[in-house]
């Protein structure tokens, strides 16, 4: 049972106590995996790692990693540490290659998932009496049910909208007095724009207090625009199917990093090239170990997500360490004619142009055996799209700035508002149509 006071107590424990919980959780998980999952027995044996010899958190640096490929290779039930009769739910993520990874849940696992997401409601100052619309997709995706369990745990009236049928979302938000909105940031923006088009004034017609938005990167400008349009506060939520789903880390009201649910997850930041653990404050790849997951624990799982541990304590007084908001994944990195670029860097440059909106798409093709990058960006509705000379001038300015800032040659094409497809889930920002063999 979710108990707000108890959750707050856990989130305010002195960090030494959290580390004790983590060490116990790691020892138990390692022993459990060694005994029940042949893949892990081989992994530990081959690495010469003794799961019963862990005596401090520092010993983790010597333990082997696991990767998404390991999860795929063991599809569907190969990494389950509990018999199927003890499991009550599964979720899957298909990823881009189409081979699924599976996460299993016992009742205990669902219970702490609800606690973790429910903390997001506490961070926003919500609870009983709040009306939460969950417009993440329900189904195999963890967004819908993860937020749902969190909303119910925290005592909210939880409305299982799922994604799609945007006009109906807006009617329900208005008629039911929704106070908390849960969906991807790009879908929240689509809801906001559609509401405005329908003549709904979110400042008067909605009762929103805050939104818990994640599953994809969101720039600071995008967040501010959302907050302005929907007159609420946006909290970022992080998670992934392999470790649980949404709620691994959530931002508090300070909006200064996402508190990791450190009583359930042990987080490390590593150098993605060498695998070496990096000190707090440095950017690298996030590696996660579950501490009390029963059905599908993961051990030193390489998330491929790039972030850093924010040193120091949060102003909110909670002691669970924070990760910085994510700017991308190691596998998002584009190599364009030999230059490494993250889509978020392109987005940062575009944000300096007030004439363009937050909707963009990067299309990669091959011309004369070379990478060719086309960046389609929507202009803001108040920009006069009939002024050809102005459009060309703006395109040229954006092109120059991208060249100066990122050293890449980009064919910038401004497009009319609402021409880039809107997404009900994660936005598709990069379309890679390049031919030839890629890494
Ligand atoms: O996206 C779980 C989730 C649902 C998180 C709803 C938040 C809200 P997957 O589909 O397995 O699970 O995708 C996980 O999405 O490794 C990140 O690359 C990315 N991601 C998740 N949250 C964030 C975020 C869900 N807040 C992958 N910011 C992760 C940026 C995020 N990227």
């Amino acid at each position: 049972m979710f108990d707000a006071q108890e959750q707050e107590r856990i989130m305010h424990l002195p960090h030494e106590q959290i580390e004790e919980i983590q060490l116990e959780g790691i020892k138990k998980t390692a022993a459990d995996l060694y005994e029940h999952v042949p893949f892990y027995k081989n992994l530990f044996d081959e690495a010469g790692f003794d799961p019963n010899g862990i005596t401090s958190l520092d010993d983790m640096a010597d333990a082997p990693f696991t990767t998404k490929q390991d999860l795929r290779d063991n599809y569907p039930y190969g990494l389950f540490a509990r018999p199927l009769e003890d499991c009550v739910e599964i979720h899957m993520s298909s990823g881009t290659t189409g081979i699924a990874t599976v996460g299993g849940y016992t009742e205990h696992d669902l219970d702490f998932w609800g606690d973790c997401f429910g903390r997001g409601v506490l961070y926003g100052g919500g609870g009983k009496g709040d009306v939460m619309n969950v417009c993440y997709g329900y189904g195999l995706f963890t967004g819908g049910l993860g937020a749902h369990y969190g909303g119910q745990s925290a005592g909210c009236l939880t409305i299982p909208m799922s994604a799609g049928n945007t006009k109906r979302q807006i009617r329900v938000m208005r008629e039911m007095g929704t106070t908390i909105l849960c969906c991807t940031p790009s879908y929240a923006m689509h809801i906001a724009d559609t509401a405005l088009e329908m003549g709904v004034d979110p400042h008067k017609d909605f009762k929103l207090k805050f939104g818990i938005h994640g599953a994809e990167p969101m720039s600071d400008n995008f967040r501010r625009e959302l907050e302005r349009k929907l007159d609420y506060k946006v909290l970022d939520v992080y998670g992934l199917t392999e470790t649980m789903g949404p709620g691994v880390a959530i931002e508090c009201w300070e909006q200064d990093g996402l508190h990791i649910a450190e009583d359930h997850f042990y987080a490390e930041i590593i150098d993605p090239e060498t695998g070496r653990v990096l000190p707090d404050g440095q950017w690298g790849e996030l590696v996660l170990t579950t501490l009390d997951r029963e059905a599908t624990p993961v051990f030193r799982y390489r998330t491929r997500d790039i972030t850093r541990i924010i040193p120091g304590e949060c102003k909110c007084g909670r002691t669970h360490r924070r990760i910085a908001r994510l700017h991308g994944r190691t596998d998002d990195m584009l190599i364009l004619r030999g230059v490494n670029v993250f889509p978020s860097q392109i987005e940062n440059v575009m944000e300096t142009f007030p004439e363009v909106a937050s909707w963009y798409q990067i299309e990669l093709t091959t011309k004369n055996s070379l990478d060719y990058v086309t960046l389609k960006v929507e202009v803001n509705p108040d920009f006069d799209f009939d002024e050809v000379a102005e459009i060309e001038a703006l395109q040229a300015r954006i092109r120059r700035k991208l060249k100066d800032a990122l050293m890449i040659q980009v064919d910038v094409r401004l497009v009319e508002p609402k021409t880039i497809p809107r997404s009900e889930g994660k936005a598709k920002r990069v379309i890679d149509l390049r031919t030839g063999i890629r890494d």
Side-chain angles (χ1 to χ4, degrees):
M1 256 292 283
F2 187 89
D3 169 345
Q5 265 183 351
E6 173 60 6
Q7 293 300 318
E8 287 291 1
R9 186 190 69 80
I10 296 168
M11 293 190 283
H12 284 86
L13 284 175
H15 208 262
E16 304 79 66
Q17 274 186 44
I18 296 171
E19 285 167 26
E20 281 167 24
I21 296 173
Q22 293 188 313
L23 183 59
E24 281 318 299
I26 287 169
K27 284 184 184 174
K28 215 163 146 264
T29 301
D32 195 27
L33 286 169
Y34 192 75
E35 192 183 332
H36 294 113
V37 185
F39 163 82
Y40 277 100
K41 182 173 187 315
N42 286 342
L43 182 80
F44 291 167
D45 284 346
E46 270 174 28
F49 175 73
D50 175 9
N52 297 309
I54 305 171
T55 56
S56 83
L57 292 177
D58 294 337
D59 293 340
M60 282 299 267
D62 301 324
F65 296 113
T66 48
T67 64
K68 195 172 192 104
Q69 193 56 44
D70 297 326
L71 269 62
R72 288 190 169 134
D73 291 346
N74 287 282
Y75 174 88
Y77 294 127
L79 297 182
F80 276 55
R82 285 282 181 284
L84 284 192
E85 57 263 35
D86 290 350
C87 302
V88 292
E89 190 164 314
I90 56 165
H91 285 273
M92 285 196 228
S93 86
S94 64
T96 40
T97 64
I99 304 164
T101 57
V102 183
Y105 305 78
T106 62
E107 270 179 35
H108 161 84
D109 296 338
L110 289 186
D111 217 43
F112 82 73
W113 191 9
D115 289 352
C116 289
F117 198 99
R119 288 175 190 178
V121 177
L122 296 182
Y123 291 149
K128 276 192 189 306
D130 275 301
V131 179
M132 181 199 271
N133 277 31
V134 180
C135 338
Y136 288 113
Y138 280 63
L140 287 173
F141 178 52
T142 52
L145 280 166
H148 187 97
Y149 297 142
Q152 287 195 333
S153 296
C156 304
L157 170 61
T158 307
I159 310 186
M161 294 301 298
S162 199
N165 204 341
T166 308
K167 288 190 172 152
R168 181 152 161 250
Q169 304 272 5
I170 291 159
R171 279 199 300 275
V172 170
M173 282 166 71
R174 186 157 66 168
E175 289 156 13
M176 303 292 179
T178 302
T179 53
I180 306 171
L181 180 65
C182 295
C183 58
T184 60
S186 51
Y187 193 44
M189 187 68 87
H190 185 43
I191 290 177
D193 290 340
T194 309
L196 294 170
E197 268 170 35
M198 286 164 69
V200 172
D201 178 357
H203 290 246
K204 288 205 204 100
D205 301 328
F206 287 163
K207 295 203 174 97
L208 284 177
K209 295 182 194 161
F210 60 96
I212 307 179
H213 300 314
E216 63 182 2
M218 152 178 63
S219 70
D220 289 338
N221 270 7
F222 195 93
R223 185 217 295 258
R224 296 291 160 239
E225 191 179 333
L226 257 183
E227 292 186 327
R228 208 173 47 244
K229 282 184 178 160
L230 286 178
D231 189 25
Y232 70 153
K233 187 136 171 168
V234 170
L235 306 182
D236 194 340
V237 54
Y238 168 76
L240 60 166
T241 316
E242 296 89 318
T243 64
M244 178 178 79
V248 171
I250 313 184
E251 238 178 4
C252 68
W253 204 251
E254 300 295 330
Q255 294 182 321
D256 187 18
L258 292 78
H259 289 278
I260 306 160
E262 284 204 291
D263 49 332
H264 297 288
F265 302 95
Y266 179 65
E268 299 166 272
I269 302 289
I270 62 159
D271 176 333
E273 300 292 326
T274 63
R276 203 171 50 86
V277 178
L278 296 174
D280 286 3
Q282 284 195 24
W283 290 90
E285 179 180 342
L286 177 67
V287 171
L288 289 170
T289 300
T290 56
L291 302 175
D292 62 341
R293 179 93 180 258
E294 291 180 342
T296 47
V298 289
F299 203 80
R300 293 202 98 200
Y301 180 69
R302 292 189 60 158
T303 64
R304 305 223 163 249
D305 291 317
I306 301 163
T307 181
R308 67 187 184 105
I309 302 276
I310 299 179
E313 283 189 8
C314 183
K315 285 204 202 86
C316 77
R318 296 183 184 93
T319 49
H320 290 207
R321 292 184 308 162
R322 292 160 295 152
I323 49 170
R325 296 202 323 110
L326 272 71
H327 293 300
R329 301 170 53 78
T330 52
D331 39 11
D332 276 350
M333 192 177 76
L334 305 169
I335 305 177
L336 305 173
R337 299 190 186 185
V339 181
N340 299 350
V341 187
F342 284 97
S344 58
Q345 291 177 288
I346 298 182
E347 186 170 346
N348 288 344
V349 170
M350 277 171 340
E351 282 181 351
T352 61
F353 292 89
E355 300 91 335
V356 302
S358 324
W359 301 105
Y360 69 94
Q361 219 160 40
I362 301 164
E363 197 180 272
L364 307 175
T365 48
T366 310
K367 272 195 189 169
N368 304 325
S369 311
L370 288 173
D371 297 328
Y372 192 83
V373 189
T374 312
L375 173 67
K376 292 185 190 158
V377 199
E378 283 184 15
V379 291
N380 273 322
D382 49 4
F383 187 87
D384 188 354
F385 203 76
D386 295 329
E387 288 295 333
V388 179
E390 258 183 58
I391 290 191
E392 282 175 358
L394 180 56
Q395 287 178 165
R397 277 199 290 136
I398 299 177
R399 196 168 50 234
R400 260 199 312 278
K401 191 141 183 194
L402 285 168
K403 182 101 199 342
D404 290 347
L406 307 175
M407 294 187 314
I408 51 168
Q409 192 73 43
V410 177
D411 180 2
V412 178
R413 305 251 178 98
L414 294 174
V415 295
E416 290 191 64
K418 304 216 75 165
T419 46
I420 291 182
R422 300 301 190 248
S423 120
E424 291 161 2
K426 304 186 191 220
K428 189 153 177 54
R429 304 285 198 196
V430 180
I431 300 177
D432 196 344
L433 304 169
R434 288 177 291 183
T435 51
I437 301 163
R438 302 253 139 234
D439 295 339

